[in-house]
Amino acid sequence: GETIHVTGLLTGTDIGRTIKHTPFYDQYLLPGNCIRKWDERFLDDITLPQMREQTGKVITPVLGGALDFVETILEKAIGREHA
C-alpha cells in the first residue's frame, strides 16, 4: 500500500546479522519505521532492547525523514540528543 515503505519491511534478524558482520561502528542509526512505535518490535517480533543486547551496540531508531537523520548524526557528534 501507499503507507508501506521498504525500510518498514526490514526484519530485526536481518539488521542484527548485518551489524554482527560489520562490527566496526559503535553506534547504528536505523530508519524509525523499522520498528513499531508502541512496542519497539521489528517485523519479526524482535524487540529493540533484544537487538541491542544481542549485538552489544548502541542502536537508535530515527523517526522522520532525511533531515531528521542528518540532525541525529550531527547531534550525536556534539553530544546532544535529538528532540
Side-chain angles (χ1 to χ4, degrees):
E2 291 182 20
T3 60
I4 303 298
H5 300 281
V6 173
T7 53
L9 299 174
L10 295 170
T11 65
T13 301
D14 291 336
I15 294 169
R17 185 179 312 118
T18 299
I19 290 172
K20 288 179 183 178
H21 284 91
T22 57
F24 318 112
Y25 309 104
D26 54 352
Q27 177 167 325
Y28 293 81
L29 301 178
L30 302 177
N33 64 346
C34 285
I35 61 168
R36 294 188 300 246
K37 294 174 190 165
W38 62 90
D39 64 358
E40 293 192 322
R41 288 184 182 275
F42 291 87
L43 189 61
D44 57 359
D45 283 330
I46 292 176
T47 66
L48 185 58
Q50 286 173 326
M51 180 179 291
R52 288 175 175 149
E53 184 179 322
Q54 290 171 1
T55 62
K57 301 291 182 180
V58 176
I59 302 170
T60 305
V62 179
L63 300 175
L67 179 59
D68 296 300
F69 195 78
V70 171
E71 285 178 350
T72 300
I73 292 169
L74 295 174
E75 289 171 350
K76 294 285 185 185
I78 62 172
R80 279 190 14 212
E81 289 295 319
H82 185 66

